[in-house]
Amino acid sequence: MFLYRYNTPQGKRGFSMMMSKSEVLRLRQRPDLFIEHVLGAKLWGKQIEIANGLKDHRIVAVRSCHGSGKTFLAAQLALWWLYTRPFSTVITTAPTGRQVTDLLWKEIRKSHKRACDIVGGPGLGGELLPKAPRLVVDDEWLCVGFSTDDPTSFQGWHSPGGILAIFDEAPGIAPDIWDAARGVIVGEHDRLLCIGNPTETSGPFYNLFQTASKNVAKFHISAYDVPNVKEGKSVIPGLCTKEWVDERKEEWAPSTPMWQSRVMGNFPEASDSTVIPLSWAEAAIARYERRDKSTSKRLIMAVDVARFGADHTVFAFADEDGVREVVRAPKADTMETVGYVIQAFNDRGGFQNVDEIRVDADGLGAGVFDRLKEQLGNIIVEMRGGMRATENERYLNKRAEWYFTARRKLDPDGDFCIFMPNSTTLTAQMTAIKFKINSRGLLQIESKEDMKKRGVKSPDEADAVVMALANEGVQEFFFV
């Protein structure tokens, strides 16, 4: 047990630590001891290596799988830095405000409270605001969180005790924020910790892993490094498990970007044959979290009908800003499927809110299309991926045209920048699909048979989404 008492010059907040200077210095060099005995948490192997890396390197970069405890570790290191360095500053950021307040700062609050219970008395000290991401120990001695909307948030910071900047979900942070942060991390004892899933094969986070600078410590966490996976049982609650890895291997296949990034902790292979890069999908998800939820714009509904061997019929709903919703319905016979479509249509306002229902009319979908056409009339639009493309000098067929239309609308540097819901299944499907150029010079999406050979399942959700985003149908009212 360590009791803190450190007298501040003014003592304005009445905070003190009962601990000798030598003890402070010892814990400064042993973040694992501070985290275990003061914060009441125990790190595992890779986490200890990362924590120790901050002592000797100006920049620590961590590319990690999903569920490795990287955000939890960042929260512990924020408190370790703050309370072992009088008059220090910790600045945290992430791509969205929700990621700052609901993820990293949720962990900071839990750890701060747990530490106060362990230490007793006045606890760790400091004023932790109930909702805002701000913990103040004294003047010029604080921990604060920002979203990455404004680079000026990083200007003007200095700290006699040293600054630690923490980038959570670092691949999604814009280059101008990186530049602003580097303008703050200028002192001998300042540090930058960057953690995240490696989703993008370009940008500042990716570049850190290509550098040979001795100032950068690089760490890699695969799911197979995580204790729960290595030991085949739940050793540390909350981390990914062997069961999760096995399920993802079956769903995603080792050749897909999602497997490489989320499971192996590797940057996806940069491939010119991938229709939708993983980083584009991640950016669209971030835009979805910032979307206007109050809007009531009219919808396009697309239906991908389940075929033999598939589990679900999929409905996708889109408007001019992006994909609002993707829904799975149980696999059923033709008439039951028609009932599910009509129910979903009515639940979203029917004719008042939905302009079109686009139905994949190939195979089993033909019967669904015919019956819906009888019941709902011209609002039902026939979609056949094998038909001749509108731009037939560029695309082999409609399906290729649909996917490249979606690509254009998801391009972060394009004119549309639409959003997409946060679904691991949808993201995996959208980013797994490849294309080639045939002997006539036409763009062609790989067949579902070729995907199956790679271990990739039928992209039902992705097919529904690209149909909803296609520039065709009765109402060509958006993206024109």
Side-chain angles (χ1 to χ4, degrees):
M1 181 73 66
F2 299 110
L3 296 178
Y4 270 43
R5 194 168 297 281
Y6 187 98
N7 295 323
T8 64
Q10 295 83 15
K12 292 180 180 179
R13 301 181 186 279
F15 171 63
S16 59
M17 294 202 283
M18 287 197 307
M19 184 166 61
S20 66
K21 183 177 180 180
S22 62
E23 193 67 17
V24 172
L25 294 175
R26 187 171 84 93
L27 291 183
R28 188 179 299 174
Q29 295 301 311
R30 289 293 305 273
D32 58 323
L33 287 184
F34 177 90
I35 291 168
E36 181 175 357
H37 295 289
V38 178
L39 301 183
K42 193 167 184 177
L43 304 182
W44 58 277
K46 286 276 188 175
Q47 291 178 327
I48 295 174
E49 293 177 21
I50 294 165
N52 288 333
L54 275 177
K55 297 184 301 183
D56 304 316
H57 298 86
R58 290 178 55 78
I59 300 176
V60 172
V62 184
R63 58 183 174 95
S64 171
C65 66
H66 176 77
S68 67
K70 56 187 180 297
T71 298
F72 170 83
L73 174 62
Q76 312 313 301
L77 293 176
L79 294 173
W80 162 71
W81 185 275
L82 189 70
Y83 286 103
T84 60
R85 291 163 175 78
F87 301 99
S88 60
T89 298
V90 180
I91 306 171
T92 78
T93 193
T96 68
R98 186 193 70 82
Q99 288 170 318
V100 173
T101 58
D102 294 351
L103 299 180
L104 179 56
W105 273 81
K106 179 181 178 181
E107 294 291 349
I108 290 175
R109 293 178 193 284
K110 286 167 56 178
S111 297
H112 187 272
K113 181 181 185 303
R114 185 173 60 244
C116 290
D117 293 339
I118 292 171
V119 173
L124 288 181
E127 181 183 354
L128 180 59
L129 298 184
K131 294 184 179 180
R134 189 175 183 87
L135 168 59
V136 179
V137 179
D138 206 288
D139 295 337
E140 297 187 341
W141 189 354
L142 75 162
C143 179
V144 63
F146 300 111
S147 64
T148 58
D149 297 335
D150 185 4
T152 61
S153 300
F154 286 85
Q155 296 177 3
W157 290 96
H158 64 278
S159 175
I163 292 177
L164 170 63
I166 297 176
F167 282 10
D168 195 11
E169 301 299 340
I173 294 176
D176 55 350
I177 302 297
W178 286 81
D179 293 339
R182 284 185 169 125
V184 170
I185 310 302
V186 294
E188 178 184 358
H189 302 295
D190 298 336
R191 297 288 186 269
L192 173 61
L193 171 64
C194 323
I195 60 177
N197 293 124
T199 58
E200 188 168 358
T201 54
S202 63
F205 184 71
Y206 175 79
N207 292 341
L208 287 177
F209 289 89
Q210 315 310 310
T211 183
S213 172
K214 63 181 181 180
N215 292 323
V216 179
K218 295 171 279 188
F219 296 92
H220 169 223
I221 305 176
S222 160
Y224 292 100
D225 297 322
V226 176
N228 294 354
V229 180
K230 290 180 71 174
E231 301 190 28
K233 60 182 180 180
S234 182
V235 180
I236 304 175
L239 299 189
C240 66
T241 63
K242 183 178 183 301
E243 291 76 16
W244 179 84
V245 171
D246 291 342
E247 290 170 0
R248 299 291 79 74
K249 190 171 187 178
E250 182 179 351
E251 180 183 0
W252 295 343
S255 64
T256 61
M258 284 286 280
W259 172 268
Q260 289 298 320
S261 174
R262 298 290 180 88
V263 179
M264 299 305 297
N266 294 326
F267 289 99
E269 293 184 7
S271 173
D272 291 337
S273 64
T274 300
V275 180
I276 309 292
L278 180 55
S279 61
W280 291 15
E282 297 280 356
I285 290 169
R287 292 192 291 271
Y288 181 84
E289 294 174 354
R290 300 190 299 267
R291 74 191 187 286
D292 181 3
K293 299 178 183 179
S294 64
T295 186
S296 58
K297 295 180 180 179
R298 299 186 65 79
L299 297 172
I300 294 292
M301 178 180 178
V303 181
D304 183 79
V305 181
R307 290 163 175 79
F308 293 111
D311 295 326
H312 299 276
T313 289
V314 178
F315 309 145
F317 299 88
D319 64 17
E320 62 185 20
D321 297 322
V323 183
R324 291 277 169 186
E325 190 179 6
V326 177
V327 179
R328 286 189 164 220
K331 184 180 178 182
D333 64 30
T334 300
M335 292 303 102
E336 287 179 304
T337 299
V338 169
Y340 286 125
V341 174
I342 293 175
Q343 181 182 53
F345 169 69
N346 290 333
D347 287 347
R348 286 152 187 83
F351 290 101
Q352 292 185 343
N353 290 336
V354 180
D355 277 328
E356 286 182 16
I357 302 177
R358 299 175 174 179
V359 181
D360 175 13
D362 289 323
L364 294 178
V368 174
F369 168 78
D370 290 339
R371 182 60 175 153
L372 285 171
K373 190 79 169 179
E374 287 179 5
Q375 295 197 43
L376 300 178
N378 290 335
I379 195 173
I380 306 300
V381 177
E382 182 181 29
M383 304 289 281
R384 292 186 180 273
M387 292 184 67
R388 186 181 185 186
T390 302
E391 295 185 55
N392 56 66
E393 295 182 355
R394 184 176 185 186
Y395 303 109
L396 175 67
N397 53 26
K398 286 285 190 182
R399 187 164 185 260
E401 191 166 39
W402 298 341
Y403 268 96
F404 275 88
T405 298
R407 172 187 168 92
R408 188 169 66 252
K409 294 168 184 175
L410 287 165
D411 185 348
D413 297 323
D415 296 330
F416 304 113
C417 284
I418 65 171
F419 53 67
M420 189 174 78
N422 187 2
S423 162
T424 55
T425 300
L426 174 60
T427 303
Q429 291 181 8
M430 294 288 285
T431 58
I433 293 173
K434 297 180 179 293
F435 72 93
K436 64 180 181 181
I437 299 176
N438 71 6
S439 60
R440 293 186 288 154
L442 302 178
L443 292 167
Q444 175 181 348
I445 300 299
E446 68 174 327
S447 68
K448 294 181 180 180
E449 289 73 20
D450 287 341
M451 294 182 71
K452 187 176 181 180
K453 291 176 184 177
R454 295 198 290 122
V456 180
K457 294 185 176 181
S458 178
D460 301 328
E461 294 194 7
D463 283 351
V465 164
V466 299
M467 285 194 295
L469 296 176
N471 288 338
E472 57 184 271
V474 178
Q475 302 288 338
E476 296 186 16
F477 70 96
F478 60 91
F479 305 129
V480 176

